[in-house]
Amino acid sequence: MQPLTASTSFSALQSHLASAKNWHLLDLFAQDSQRFADMSLKTGDLLLDYSKNLITAETLQLLLNLAHERGVEEQREAMFAGAKINTTENRAVLHTALRAPRDARLLLDGQDVIADVHAVLDQMRAFTQRVRSGQWRGHTGAAITDIVNIGIGGSDLGPRTVCQALRPFAQPGLQLHFVSNVDGCDLDAVLFRCNPETTLFIIASKTFTTLETMMNAHSARDWLLQHGCTEAALTRHFVALSTNTAAVKAFGIAPENMFPFWDWVGGRYSVWSAIGLSVALAVGFDHFAEFLQGAHTMDQHFRSAPLESNMPVLLALVGIWNRNFLGCSSLSIAPYLQDLRLLPAFLQQLDMESNGKSVARDGAALETASGPLVWGQAGTNGQHAYFQLLHQGTDVIPVDFIAALKPQHKLPGHHAALLANCFAQSEALMRGKSTEEVRSEMQAQGIDPAQIAALAPHRTFAGNRPSNTILMDALTPKTLGTLIALYEHKVFVQGVIWGVNSFDQWGVELGKVLAQKIQSELLSAARPQQHDSSTNGLVAIAKTAL
Ligand code: G6Q
């Protein structure tokens, strides 16, 4: 495929950049009273305001030309239709099918995937009802009180983020726990809080071979056996979410306690599949269905809206402008919602694992930057930590502010304070504070001129720093589904423009293989010799402690 730099619209954007260098966001707003109206759009329950970016109508048009030229519409259709766009693994990419309604139809290799999806959803519905109603019993006949999801990466972050975000919808009396790290402290801390008679373990692993998950699963099994559960009764305490039937069986989980999914569901796109079982258990199946429905609303919008009024496309294009033309290497995610505090970590995986690539789909080295570093924290906490760098650091870091108009609590005053902070931060990043403003403020306070001269540079903010704001009515299962799907499709569009395969993760595999080798060296008597002197030295020191 043609490198991005060779496309006509990329060159046009590069020429356009020369004029953009002199823009200030404040001037762009002053020149156009319609800017917010023109550069914001609503779809489903979400509003995206992208007007505080260093773009004009012309920039947007050139970016849209780029999207057309790079084949966003064709690739989008290929994904929805089940083409094997994950070429390095020869797989379709069909997380959108996981939230399609029952009456939809999609054939993949002659198999109706929608029918398969709904068969598993029915299995999940029946199971969640049995557990939540107390019908499902542990080995002593007591109802389940604690559910532990054991998984890592895509089999952990999605359900963990969603369960936390939907906390107000959870059933009291049923505690959800998540264990991911191979560090025994993770499982140990959870087991300490659980009763073996009333704990259900969900082993969530697409491959059912991941070291961390399998080690934690075996330790959980041992814990139950040590606490009075017989081998035969283990079946009341374990269910599996996986694509690997043979490995699930070998572990000892009954086939009827396995919730399958398929190779066309990528780990970081799997919360909509059986991997979302912990969500359905926590908030009830009907809420889980609303979460799927919210995502489906965004899928329909993404698939059918023209690019110029397509929310994921616009969010992606603004990101391309910031990354490839304004040189911003990082994107900060700031949810002004405490229950969404894990969203930055979730989006970090979604974006960085998908687009953290340096070769194009045909294997050629990329000539431009691809996925940015994605990071963040919930507001207002972040304001009292790293926002200093966002305002006055030497790097310009665009921010996505995310907020809800209505709170999920009844405490008076808090929500207005939260929203005020959210809006004030994006305004401050844009507006900045000139040295002139600082000087006159200090003069008005009667500060002496020498002190003003010394302090003014420190109290000056350049401003002109870009941000998006995403507003939802309230954080509900439906809006959360719509929001996550928005980002999934944004990442997809950017991957198409960069020309990368957003759906493989070979970088994750290398670490898995090397760790297995070192682990066997740590536990054997032989001296490690196969590495560099640093790795050999570290392994040798660790062997003395183990
Ligand atoms: C996600 C990645 C990765 C994966 C984990 C867990 O897209 O592939 O984060 O989800 O490595 O893999 P398993 O589900 O196979 O245990």
Side-chain angles (χ1 to χ4, degrees):
M1 75 182 302
Q2 199 187 35
L4 177 57
T5 45
S7 64
T8 325
S9 29
F10 190 87
S11 311
L13 278 156
Q14 273 180 320
S15 316
H16 178 69
L17 181 64
S19 45
K21 294 238 152 102
N22 303 317
W23 297 340
H24 196 291
L25 278 166
L26 278 184
D27 298 329
L28 297 181
F29 273 94
Q31 287 155 15
D32 179 7
S33 61
Q34 284 299 300
R35 190 173 166 89
F36 172 71
D38 291 345
M39 292 192 179
S40 61
L41 84 156
K42 200 168 182 304
T43 185
D45 296 318
L46 297 187
L47 173 114
L48 167 67
D49 170 17
Y50 57 98
S51 62
K52 290 194 185 91
N53 281 287
L54 266 172
I55 53 169
T56 61
E58 189 188 353
T59 323
L60 215 46
Q61 190 49 57
L62 294 171
L63 286 165
L64 287 163
N65 295 347
L66 182 69
H68 285 297
E69 198 180 338
R70 297 296 286 172
V72 167
E73 285 136 312
E74 294 78 9
Q75 287 291 316
R76 175 182 64 180
E77 204 37 49
M79 176 176 73
F80 276 99
K84 296 194 173 161
I85 61 169
N86 177 357
T87 46
T88 59
E89 295 177 310
N90 193 30
R91 288 176 183 166
V93 173
L94 277 175
H95 44 280
T96 52
L98 297 168
R99 51 243 190 171
R102 199 179 283 272
D103 59 1
R105 200 170 137 77
L106 180 65
L107 290 181
L108 181 69
D109 299 330
Q111 181 71 22
D112 181 359
V113 298
I114 307 290
D116 290 348
V117 163
H118 280 271
V120 177
L121 287 173
D122 290 343
Q123 189 192 356
M124 289 168 71
R125 179 192 286 274
F127 178 73
T128 50
Q129 278 164 358
R130 286 179 72 193
V131 175
R132 286 165 62 88
S133 65
Q135 239 182 300
W136 182 285
R137 307 257 158 180
H139 65 276
T140 57
I144 298 299
T145 57
D146 291 82
I147 294 166
V148 184
N149 187 87
I150 296 181
I152 195 164
S155 300
D156 166 73
L157 262 174
R160 191 193 283 257
T161 304
V162 174
C163 279
Q164 196 174 78
L166 300 181
R167 176 196 56 84
F169 298 84
Q171 170 166 309
L174 197 57
Q175 296 301 320
L176 260 291
H177 311 266
F178 288 85
V179 170
S180 55
N181 204 324
V182 75
D183 181 345
C185 286
D186 201 3
L187 180 63
D188 195 46
V190 168
L191 294 182
F192 181 73
R193 300 201 298 274
C194 291
N195 175 351
E197 294 180 17
T198 59
T199 300
L200 175 73
F201 292 95
I202 301 177
I203 313 303
S205 177
K206 180 174 168 179
T207 55
F208 229 73
T209 57
T210 305
L211 169 90
E212 293 91 333
T213 303
M214 295 328 296
M215 189 167 259
N216 280 321
H218 279 103
S219 298
R221 199 172 182 274
D222 293 345
W223 177 75
L224 280 170
L225 292 173
Q226 285 155 14
H227 288 84
C229 183
T230 61
E231 288 270 356
L234 280 174
T235 187
R236 296 169 177 224
H237 292 273
F238 278 96
V239 297
L241 323 175
S242 189
T243 58
N244 188 345
T245 315
V248 168
K249 212 170 151 203
F251 181 84
I253 295 179
E256 64 273 20
N257 294 345
M258 173 179 166
F259 297 80
F261 58 108
W262 308 271
D263 73 353
W264 43 262
V265 182
R268 55 196 172 275
Y269 299 88
S270 65
V271 65
W272 323 96
S273 70
I275 291 292
L277 186 68
S278 52
V279 177
L281 284 163
V283 301
F285 190 84
D286 289 345
H287 284 133
F288 183 68
E290 287 171 23
F291 172 65
L292 300 182
Q293 200 199 332
H296 180 63
T297 308
M298 184 52 76
D299 294 341
Q300 285 175 303
H301 164 78
F302 175 55
R303 192 175 189 177
S304 61
L307 299 194
E308 61 274 18
S309 53
N310 193 308
M311 195 181 278
V313 172
L314 291 167
L315 194 59
L317 291 179
V318 163
I320 294 279
W321 175 246
N322 289 338
R323 179 77 177 113
N324 296 109
F325 298 93
L326 300 183
C328 305
S329 56
S330 145
L331 169 68
S332 189
I333 306 290
Y336 274 66
L337 287 147
Q338 180 66 7
D339 287 333
L340 262 191
R341 62 191 176 280
L342 270 179
L343 187 72
F346 174 81
L347 295 183
Q348 182 175 69
Q349 182 189 16
L350 175 66
D351 203 320
M352 293 174 70
E353 213 166 56
S354 297
N355 288 338
K357 311 283 161 68
S358 33
V359 295
R361 289 196 296 273
D362 61 5
L366 295 185
E367 291 174 11
T368 58
S370 62
L373 171 67
V374 178
W375 59 284
Q377 215 184 85
T380 57
N381 295 5
Q383 287 175 216
H384 300 268
Y386 57 81
F387 267 51
Q388 163 62 33
L389 186 146
L390 300 183
H391 286 289
Q392 289 189 303
T394 48
D395 288 289
V396 172
I397 300 177
V399 185
D400 281 1
F401 291 96
I402 300 167
L405 294 174
K406 294 190 194 112
Q408 293 290 6
H409 62 82
K410 293 198 171 71
L411 299 173
H414 286 254
H415 204 63
L418 181 70
L419 286 181
N421 272 279
C422 177
F423 301 159
Q425 286 299 320
S426 68
E427 187 184 22
L429 285 167
M430 170 182 74
R431 183 173 288 282
K433 200 176 207 183
S434 69
T435 310
E436 249 341 285
E437 285 175 285
V438 172
R439 282 213 185 96
S440 50
E441 254 180 41
M442 292 174 88
Q443 276 158 5
Q445 289 162 15
I447 300 175
D448 77 76
Q451 215 183 346
I452 293 178
L455 286 179
H458 299 278
R459 295 170 68 157
T460 298
F461 295 70
N464 212 22
R465 301 195 169 205
S467 67
N468 294 302
T469 299
I470 297 169
L471 282 183
M472 60 190 106
D473 187 47
L475 182 57
T476 63
K478 188 157 180 263
T479 52
L480 181 64
T482 312
L483 179 72
I484 293 178
L486 164 67
Y487 275 98
E488 286 180 347
H489 295 322
K490 173 215 155 167
V491 165
F492 170 78
V493 170
Q494 292 191 330
V496 172
I497 290 177
W498 288 318
V500 301
N501 177 1
S502 300
F503 299 102
D504 60 9
Q505 56 283 316
W506 297 103
V508 180
E509 310 304 325
L510 176 65
K512 286 188 184 180
V513 173
L514 290 182
Q516 268 172 10
K517 182 168 183 278
I518 293 180
Q519 194 180 335
S520 61
E521 288 171 1
L522 282 173
L523 299 173
S524 82
R527 279 177 71 82
Q529 286 172 352
Q530 301 301 315
H531 311 275
D532 55 276
S533 64
S534 162
T535 312
N536 282 340
L538 295 170
V539 171
I541 292 170
K543 276 166 80 90
T544 63
L546 282 170

